[in-house]
Amino acid sequence: SGAPAAEWGGFEDNMQSGGSAVIDMENMDDTSGSSFEDMGEMHQRMKEEEEEEEAESEAGAGEEEDGEFLGMKGLRGQLGRQVADQMWQVGKRQASRAFSLYANIDILRPYFDVEPVQVRARLLESMIPVKMINFPQKIAGELYGPLMLVFTLVAILLHGMKTSDTIIREGTLMGTAIGTCFGYWLGVSSFMYFLAYLCNAQITMVQMLSLLGYGLFGHCITLFVTYNIHFHSLFYIFWLVVGGLSTLRMVAVLVSRTVGHTQRLILCGTLAALHMLFLLYLHFAYHKVVEGILDTLEGPNMLPFQRVARDIPVVSNAVLNTTAKTIALTL
């Protein structure tokens, strides 16, 4: 009985141990099932998180692309504005520079910066023809002396109009004299400069203005003398001597600056003819031309209108008297 009891006790122990093992397996199976479920849930969560991250990354990439696009547009607009501003500033600077260039009187200062002694010496030199024509002669590049000679010629013309028999009815002749003198100086200088350019003469526009302006010194002397001493023979003498010397001076300077016999002949012959004929025009035809212009613009010299008493005929007097009597009777 002792042995079966011991066996029975061992069997119970084995059963208990087997039951605990079965329980442990069940527990282990439950644990393993829960762990598998957890792993599935974790995997699902990780998948959802990855999908969310991918969606967020795609949204971020789209926003970055939009930002880059908008940034490029903004950059282009900013560059366009900068270029437009730079172009405006450059144009404004050039316009202000051009305006200051033409408005600044300092530009003309070198052409009028001359001493009276130099002007006097150049006036005397304008009456002395040069002998050396093998090399270019020096021409003064200043305009003070020529400008003063033009104004002097204007004053001499006005003086000649007053001392002559020209009748000045209205206004003054200063405008006509200024237009004639300045028109000759500027017009002939421009024409001769163009002709000198065609003939390959080495001369500038300022030098041509100076040369022709100083050449008017002989005209001033001739007209001043002949307007006060009215002798045609005296005028012809001064025209040939004084006017001829000033013309020869200009011709010699142009010859020294021109290459070629044909070019010299064309250029110098044109200048000599214009200069000498202008002096003849000022002495003989200028007054008549001005009188003709005044007659054309103002009309002939007519007396002003006057009131003249007209005679009333006898018939009209009788009619008036009868009308007056009839009105008096009715009243």
Side-chain angles (χ1 to χ4, degrees):
S1 61
E7 291 177 0
W8 181 255
F11 179 75
E12 289 179 353
D13 293 334
N14 290 328
M15 289 296 290
Q16 289 178 355
S17 61
S20 63
V22 171
I23 293 170
D24 292 336
M25 288 296 292
E26 291 177 358
N27 292 334
M28 190 172 72
D29 292 339
D30 294 338
T31 304
S32 63
S34 62
S35 62
F36 284 131
E37 291 177 357
D38 293 338
M39 289 296 291
E41 290 178 357
M42 290 176 62
H43 181 70
Q44 185 68 25
R45 289 177 183 175
M46 290 176 64
K47 188 175 182 181
E48 291 178 356
E49 288 178 358
E50 289 179 357
E51 290 178 356
E52 290 178 358
E53 290 178 356
E54 288 178 359
E56 289 178 357
S57 62
E58 289 178 358
E63 290 179 356
E64 288 179 358
E65 289 179 357
D66 294 338
E68 290 178 357
F69 179 71
L70 293 175
M72 288 298 294
K73 289 181 69 177
L75 182 60
R76 290 177 182 176
Q78 186 176 2
L79 288 174
R81 287 193 297 271
Q82 290 180 357
V83 171
D85 292 338
Q86 289 180 359
M87 292 179 65
W88 169 257
Q89 293 295 333
V90 170
K92 184 178 180 181
R93 197 179 303 114
Q94 290 180 355
S96 61
R97 188 182 302 171
F99 180 76
S100 62
L101 179 65
Y102 288 103
N104 194 0
I105 198 171
D106 291 337
I107 301 172
L108 300 176
R109 184 174 296 176
Y111 302 111
F112 294 91
D113 188 10
V114 61
E115 297 295 332
V117 179
Q118 295 177 348
V119 175
R120 183 181 62 187
R122 288 165 185 170
L123 289 175
L124 295 177
E125 289 176 357
S126 65
M127 303 296 298
I128 302 173
V130 295
K131 297 180 180 179
M132 300 297 295
I133 59 174
N134 295 326
F135 58 91
Q137 296 294 322
K138 184 178 179 180
I139 302 175
E142 53 94 8
L143 299 177
Y144 176 77
L147 188 63
M148 293 300 105
L149 282 172
V150 172
F151 280 117
T152 304
L153 185 60
V154 170
I156 292 172
L157 289 179
L158 295 176
H159 173 70
M161 295 291 288
K162 292 180 180 179
T163 56
S164 63
D165 296 332
T166 304
I167 300 174
I168 304 174
R169 290 183 288 274
E170 292 182 3
T172 61
L173 300 175
M174 185 175 292
T176 307
I178 290 176
T180 302
C181 297
F182 275 92
Y184 172 77
W185 182 43
L186 299 176
V188 175
S189 297
S190 302
F191 176 72
M192 293 306 301
Y193 174 72
F194 175 72
L195 196 61
Y197 175 77
L198 296 179
C199 295
N200 294 325
Q202 300 176 1
I203 191 169
T204 62
M205 184 63 187
V206 177
Q207 291 175 344
M208 182 61 72
L209 287 170
S210 179
L211 183 65
L212 188 64
Y214 277 110
L216 293 175
F217 182 57
H219 287 38
C220 293
I221 295 175
T222 303
L223 294 176
F224 182 75
V225 173
T226 54
Y227 278 163
N228 294 299
I229 303 174
H230 300 283
F231 291 107
H232 291 295
S233 59
L234 182 64
F235 167 75
Y236 285 117
I237 292 173
F238 272 83
W239 179 68
L240 289 173
V241 176
V242 181
L245 288 176
S246 63
T247 305
L248 284 176
R249 168 74 183 190
M250 294 189 297
V251 167
V253 172
L254 285 179
V255 167
S256 66
R257 289 176 170 266
T258 309
V259 179
H261 298 286
T262 305
Q263 290 83 353
R264 289 178 177 179
L265 182 61
I266 294 173
L267 188 62
C268 298
T270 304
L271 180 60
L274 291 174
H275 202 64
M276 297 297 286
L277 290 176
F278 181 66
L279 184 55
L280 288 175
Y281 165 77
L282 292 179
H283 182 78
F284 291 106
Y286 175 73
H287 297 171
K288 295 180 181 179
V289 170
V290 171
E291 288 180 357
I293 293 174
L294 291 176
D295 290 336
T296 303
L297 297 177
E298 301 176 2
N301 191 8
M302 298 176 62
L303 294 175
F305 291 102
Q306 296 179 357
R307 293 183 179 179
V308 180
R310 293 182 295 178
D311 296 333
I312 300 175
V314 179
V315 178
S316 61
N317 287 333
V319 172
L320 290 174
N321 291 332
T322 305
T323 305
K325 290 178 181 180
T326 304
I327 294 171
L329 290 174
T330 54
L331 293 175

